[in-house]
Amino acid sequence: MTRHIRHAAVFCALLLVALLVNAARIQVLEARAHDGNAANRRATIARYGQPRGDILVDGRPVTGSRDTGEQLRYERTYADGPLYAPVTGFASQEYGTTLLEHAEDGVLSGTDPMPAPFRLWNEFTRSHTPGGDVETTLNGAAQKAAYDGLDGRKGAVAAIEPSSGRILALVSSPSYDPAALSGNDAEVARSWDRLNGDADKPMLNRAVRQTYPPGSTFKVVTTAAALDAGVVTDLDEPTDSPAPYRLPGTTTTLTNESDGCADLSLREAFKWSCNTVFAKLGVDVGITDMAATAQAFGFNDTALRIPFSVARSTFDTTVDRAQLALSSIGQYNTRATPLQMAMVAAAVANGGQVREPYLVERRTRAGGATVDMAGARPVRQAMQPATAARLKELMTQVVTEGTGTNAAIPGATVGGKTGTAQHGLLNSGTPYAWFVSWAQGDDDLEAKVAVAVVVEDASVARGDITGGGVAAPIARAVMKAVLTS
């Protein structure tokens, strides 16, 4: 009897060991596979089981979390959702995350180990770190001025602090309310279908994800290339620029919107935006120097992130001379995001230096302790300082006595460049109205803001669409908001 009892005890012990080994195999060796199984909702339930951290503008949250009392307990909320949607993106229980909600998801959701004060303990106990906050570089007054200025028209605004690269405004219109996508019920699905089916594409971030022909605003880049290459040495000397100008190797002629552009000096041609002067100037500079200058400003850069990705602005380096002429006035294959053109204006205002733009100032833990802050941003020289000084002079004259007078601000020096870009088959589309600019208060030691504005569907007659008439007033409102805040 004792022997049978001993055998039974050994057998039970073996069963217990086998059970423990199998449990260890499942919980340790196969843990990742089970965690990643689509049928396992524990991670999802835990993710939405606590409030999400907030995105801040001017130190105040523009996001929040609502307790639904359901299994996925907390839903994302947004204050002034359409105003900040091009920055925040959405955080949806059904459709995931975009823009800052995506790029900073680890901090906001508490899943990033960096903000965890007791990382090893959390891993051992499988507890969840409260979500931290993300403080943006945005100027709330400038953001609102840009949004109100567009007034629902299709277009975008980007504003940068030239000396640092801090993004002060990032607006895309028409916009949408991200809160409509936060939950997981039938109404969220209907909102998703409606937004994706909207021909105006309200979820498209036109400020950083849409490229446009920059038109005459690109003449800032062409001027920088010509001055740096020594093709032009005297701003007031007449240029050898016939009007109309026959594109090299073709029978096609290029004309101007106004008379009197033939052989005009660079100063006057820049003021009145003469196409013929700048098309020939680009050809005289040559593709090598034009491409080098464009790339120094940021064109053809595929790696820019702010921290979410930015569409590549393009300057074609494989063009012939006729195509180069058109590229040099911001047409043909030349395309730019509004953020890229704000970088061009910022470089002029910053002595020729381009600061890499950024949107996140600092990240904090739930209790407010700083996890990290934005450091000095990478810088590159887009043009010689002397060239930047002469371009500042030219851009200032555009605002004081040229096509950009609608951007003038009392008590400040403002420089700008207008642009009206053609697009569509045989230029059949409504022209895009552009304005790029910078502003420096009379009491300031340096320029405080650089802005780019593009309006796709100006609500005026086609012949009256101009960057100075449509886009410059919006830029003025944004610059004034920064200077007075």
Side-chain angles (χ1 to χ4, degrees):
M1 177 63 73
T2 302
R3 182 168 59 87
H4 292 304
I5 293 174
R6 186 165 57 252
H7 288 169
V10 170
F11 181 69
C12 289
L14 290 174
L15 289 177
L16 180 61
V17 170
L19 182 64
L20 293 174
V21 168
N22 189 54
R25 178 182 63 83
I26 293 173
Q27 296 184 23
V28 178
L29 298 180
E30 297 181 3
R32 289 185 181 275
H34 290 296
D35 282 343
N37 192 307
N40 183 4
R41 288 176 53 84
R42 289 182 59 191
T44 303
I45 293 170
R47 176 184 178 86
Y48 297 108
Q50 65 178 22
R52 188 172 174 83
D54 285 320
I55 296 171
L56 312 180
V57 174
D58 294 333
R60 296 186 296 272
V62 297
T63 59
S65 296
R66 181 175 70 91
D67 189 349
T68 66
E70 299 176 359
Q71 187 179 52
L72 302 184
R73 183 171 174 182
Y74 287 94
E75 288 182 3
R76 195 56 148 165
T77 62
Y78 295 88
D80 294 319
L83 175 62
Y84 293 108
V87 175
T88 63
F90 61 75
S92 171
Q93 293 178 354
E94 188 70 23
Y95 301 107
T97 54
T98 60
L99 302 181
L100 267 191
E101 292 277 30
H102 181 74
E104 300 296 331
D105 182 65
V107 174
L108 295 168
S109 66
T111 58
D112 190 329
M114 183 176 63
F118 306 108
R119 178 179 172 183
L120 293 178
W121 175 253
N122 288 348
E123 290 182 358
F124 178 75
T125 62
R126 300 181 71 86
S127 58
H128 208 73
T129 303
D133 293 339
V134 174
E135 184 174 329
T136 71
T137 59
L138 292 181
N139 179 307
Q143 184 81 359
K144 190 173 189 308
Y147 184 80
D148 291 345
L150 286 171
D151 194 25
R153 293 173 293 180
K154 281 191 284 188
V157 179
I160 299 173
E161 185 178 69
S163 62
S164 66
R166 296 171 69 243
I167 296 174
L168 304 177
L170 205 64
V171 169
S172 178
S173 177
S175 189
Y176 72 104
D177 189 353
L181 303 175
S182 291
N184 56 23
D185 57 18
E187 183 58 34
V188 168
R190 285 191 291 269
S191 296
W192 177 259
D193 291 340
R194 174 179 55 81
L195 289 169
N196 281 283
D198 192 328
D200 288 336
K201 299 181 179 180
M203 290 198 294
L204 172 64
N205 189 334
R206 289 172 163 86
V208 297
R209 297 279 174 84
Q210 178 72 25
T211 61
Y212 303 86
S216 292
T217 60
F218 191 79
K219 292 170 183 174
V220 175
V221 178
T222 302
T223 300
L227 291 172
D228 272 358
V231 172
V232 175
T233 57
D234 186 343
L235 298 180
D236 297 301
E237 182 179 342
T239 58
D240 180 16
S241 308
Y245 171 59
R246 185 168 62 85
L247 299 179
T250 75
T251 58
T252 303
T253 57
L254 182 67
T255 59
N256 299 291
E257 292 295 325
S258 57
D259 298 328
C261 285
D263 300 329
L264 210 58
S265 69
L266 182 58
R267 184 187 302 278
E268 293 300 311
F270 193 93
K271 186 191 304 182
W272 301 112
S273 202
C274 294
N275 287 333
T276 52
V277 173
F278 287 94
K280 184 175 184 298
L281 205 56
V283 173
D284 292 343
V285 171
I287 184 59
T288 300
D289 286 340
M290 279 296 301
T293 300
Q295 289 171 0
F297 275 104
F299 285 81
N300 298 334
D301 182 1
T302 60
L304 180 60
R305 303 186 67 87
I306 61 170
F308 47 82
S309 63
V310 177
R312 179 173 69 105
S313 298
T314 58
F315 183 82
D316 196 336
T317 61
T318 63
V319 293
D320 60 26
R321 296 174 75 232
Q323 294 163 343
L324 176 59
L326 295 176
S327 297
S328 300
I329 60 171
Q331 298 287 170
Y332 190 58
N333 286 342
T334 303
R335 297 187 68 88
T337 62
L339 180 63
Q340 173 61 67
M341 294 313 298
M343 292 166 63
V344 169
V348 174
N350 195 40
Q353 290 187 333
V354 179
R355 287 282 181 183
E356 186 176 293
Y358 68 101
L359 190 54
V360 174
E361 196 69 75
R362 68 170 184 154
R363 301 170 181 86
T364 66
R365 295 191 178 100
T370 298
V371 174
D372 69 354
M373 297 189 67
R377 309 303 293 176
V379 62
R380 60 178 176 271
Q381 197 74 33
M383 63 190 126
Q384 298 173 13
T387 295
R390 290 198 278 183
L391 261 170
K392 285 186 73 173
E393 183 182 340
L394 293 177
M395 292 182 74
T396 300
Q397 289 180 322
V398 168
V399 174
T400 57
E401 52 190 270
T403 58
T405 54
N406 283 335
I409 300 173
T413 300
V414 178
K417 183 70 190 78
T418 56
T420 306
Q422 298 175 335
H423 71 105
L425 182 63
L426 300 177
N427 301 324
S428 59
T430 302
Y432 297 140
W434 276 94
F435 193 73
V436 300
S437 59
W438 50 265
Q440 179 174 341
D442 289 346
D443 296 329
D444 296 327
L445 298 178
E446 59 188 7
K448 294 298 183 182
V449 58
V451 182
V453 178
V454 63
V455 180
E456 294 184 35
D457 56 349
S459 54
V460 295
R462 181 186 176 97
D464 296 329
I465 296 175
T466 64
V470 176
I474 302 173
R476 179 185 183 274
V478 175
M479 293 186 291
K480 189 174 181 180
V482 174
L483 294 176
T484 57
S485 61

